[in-house]
Amino acid sequence: MKSWEQNIRKVEPYVPGEQPQEQNIIKLNTNENPYPPSPGVYEVQKSIDVNRFALYPDPSAGKLVRKLEQYYGLEEGQVFVGVGSDDVLSMAFLTFFNSDKPILFPDITYSFYPVWADVYRIPYECPPLDENFHIRPEDYKRENGGVVIANPNAPTSIGMGLQEIEEIIKANQDVIVIVDEAYVDFGGETALPLLEKYENLLVIRTYSKSRSLAGMRIGFAMGNKRLIRAMMDVKESINSYTMTQESIEIGAASLEDEDYFQENLQKVIATRQRCKSELEKRGFFVLDSRTNFLFARHETVSGEILFEELRKKKIYVRHFGGERIKEYLRITIGTDEQMNQFLCAIDEIIESL
Ligand code: PMP
């Protein structure tokens, strides 16, 4: 092996859900929102001046950052924005997890966490979820280099109460606790009220799910000013211009139309609840979801067979291989029409076996 080959950073990358290019598919595999972004986003899009593409965007993304600070009632300097929450999470790992002690996150959670830990050479340990797929706060009360909790968790869809989250933050005041709230708008409990109380808390959110803007790549972190400043320093040591001017403008506009936003969330939640009971009637065990997806297994048919058969019918859901979850499907909530077609397909598959 040549020495340059030995010097290549070897990592096993995260594998995102498929983005099939064929037409006429029902795409329930990457937790996107089935409804369009808010009307204000269309207005911004119409006013885009292509000549402006010749210029660099505002490196501080000031317009978006100020809007987010106002929206969440925070002070100036408490928000960091990035190219989707993946970018923000990655920056947070790089900024805060530099000790020799292992960081902690659950054995079943967002599968990007171990990938960032590996690429940045951060040691980690994964306390197992309990038999009902719940996070046990007591598992996070040992020495560590930091903690990451997705709340609600993915792919389980289960939400954790504020008291339990506080228990974890309180027990870990010497390290940073990241709470990844990618799905919280769909019925989870946010840790935001704890920001005033704990300076070791960083809450991370995304526009990809509840704001129907996965394609624009907008994510953000909220925390005390020192944490945000530290993340800015790292970001500015890597790439000054992470957000395009269009994503800055669109992200700011999306916060304007609160009624539209809330209506959209309620539609997804109503469809989720209907779909959960329809699946239960069909012999599925469905976890209690606080997200825009369901995590479900059938009493007799294997997860892999259901996944493959649905795919043959051009319905894409997500299936993970891990031992504890291989019988489950993760099903993104689509429109009512899409979910009806999904349920019909499930009926056909079960009948045909
Ligand atoms: N956190 C969790 C728990 C997720 O499921 C996802 C979506 N894959 C993300 C973060 C990242 O989302 P995005 O980069 O689109 O903001």
Side-chain angles (χ1 to χ4, degrees):
M1 196 189 274
K2 299 210 176 84
S3 48
W4 63 262
E5 285 179 287
Q6 279 163 15
N7 287 333
I8 289 178
R9 189 174 284 264
K10 289 169 201 72
V11 282
E12 205 179 309
Y14 170 74
V15 183
E18 276 176 275
Q19 295 294 342
Q21 298 305 312
E22 40 173 342
Q23 302 292 307
N24 305 324
I25 61 157
I26 297 183
K27 195 171 173 308
L28 309 174
N29 69 333
T30 49
N31 296 341
E32 290 141 328
N33 197 308
Y35 300 111
S38 79
V41 170
Y42 286 83
E43 292 307 310
V44 175
Q45 198 265 339
K46 274 190 242 157
S47 68
I48 284 177
D49 172 10
V50 174
N51 292 323
R52 208 177 57 190
F53 292 0
L55 304 177
Y56 283 109
D58 169 11
S60 72
K63 185 165 177 181
L64 175 58
V65 167
R66 294 293 95 73
K67 259 270 148 54
L68 283 165
E69 283 161 353
Q70 273 167 21
Y71 186 87
Y72 289 102
L74 300 170
E75 287 174 23
E76 198 168 325
Q78 287 201 276
V79 169
F80 174 94
V81 295
V83 187
S85 57
D86 281 342
D87 180 42
V88 178
L89 282 158
S90 150
M91 279 297 146
F93 272 55
L94 189 56
T95 308
F96 300 118
F97 299 155
N98 292 294
S99 96
D100 297 333
K101 293 173 200 154
I103 61 166
L104 304 177
F105 48 82
D107 63 339
I108 300 167
T109 190
Y110 186 28
S111 44
F112 223 138
Y113 301 157
V115 176
W116 288 311
D118 284 335
V119 74
Y120 296 140
R121 313 274 197 259
I122 303 163
Y124 61 94
E125 284 173 12
C126 299
L129 299 180
D130 74 10
E131 64 283 8
N132 299 316
F133 291 137
H134 288 258
I135 290 168
R136 286 181 296 223
E138 57 272 25
D139 290 343
Y140 298 83
K141 294 181 183 170
R142 54 179 145 118
E143 236 196 337
N144 63 68
V147 176
V148 191
I149 302 285
N151 188 37
N153 197 10
T156 65
S157 79
I158 292 173
M160 199 180 190
L162 190 58
Q163 264 185 342
E164 287 174 299
I165 275 284
E166 181 164 8
E167 227 182 293
I168 294 176
I169 300 163
K170 196 172 176 183
N172 286 289
Q173 295 188 56
D174 289 338
V175 296
I176 301 302
V177 177
I178 296 176
V179 183
D180 176 356
E181 294 190 347
Y183 300 101
V184 77
D185 291 327
F186 299 101
E189 266 193 83
T190 178
L192 280 180
L194 303 177
L195 277 185
E196 281 184 12
K197 219 164 146 188
Y198 299 97
E199 56 181 25
N200 60 322
L201 168 63
L202 190 76
V203 176
I204 297 185
R205 298 255 187 124
T206 177
Y207 275 58
S208 299
K209 323 293 176 182
S210 56
R211 294 198 173 273
S212 310
L213 282 167
M216 284 312 293
R217 310 305 298 126
I218 307 172
F220 56 104
M222 296 174 277
N224 88 61
K225 294 177 192 181
R226 274 165 59 212
L227 301 193
I228 299 302
R229 186 64 251 162
M231 287 182 75
M232 293 290 282
D233 287 346
V234 172
K235 180 218 133 179
E236 284 162 8
S237 308
I238 295 175
N239 182 357
S240 314
Y241 306 105
T242 49
M243 312 287 291
T244 65
Q245 198 60 37
E246 289 61 47
S247 53
I248 294 170
E249 305 277 347
I250 282 172
S254 162
L255 298 172
E256 297 280 353
D257 202 340
E258 188 62 19
D259 289 346
Y260 179 87
F261 178 61
Q262 293 299 336
E263 263 169 46
N264 230 340
L265 294 178
Q266 290 318 313
K267 274 199 286 192
V268 172
I269 292 169
T271 307
R272 175 185 81 201
Q273 294 315 96
R274 179 177 74 85
C275 214
K276 180 175 193 280
S277 56
E278 289 298 326
L279 283 171
E280 284 165 347
K281 283 185 211 156
R282 288 161 171 82
F284 279 86
F285 171 69
V286 189
L287 299 186
D288 182 21
S289 171
R290 297 298 167 102
T291 63
N292 67 337
F293 59 88
L294 293 171
F295 202 52
R297 72 173 154 76
H298 192 261
E299 57 195 6
T300 53
V301 188
S302 89
E304 196 170 353
I305 287 178
L306 283 171
F307 172 78
E308 290 299 343
E309 293 300 316
L310 282 166
R311 208 183 138 94
K312 285 183 197 157
K313 293 178 181 292
K314 293 194 173 197
I315 300 177
Y316 286 71
V317 296
R318 192 101 199 249
H319 176 249
F320 296 93
E323 196 46 41
R324 291 182 75 187
I325 56 173
K326 65 181 194 304
E327 296 310 338
Y328 284 79
L329 296 179
R330 194 194 69 185
I331 306 145
T332 303
I333 302 302
T335 60
D336 278 308
E337 172 58 27
Q338 287 177 318
M339 298 324 277
N340 289 343
Q341 290 185 45
F342 163 76
L343 291 165
C344 278
I346 290 284
D347 287 337
E348 286 169 15
I349 293 165
I350 292 174
E351 263 173 42
S352 71
L353 292 173

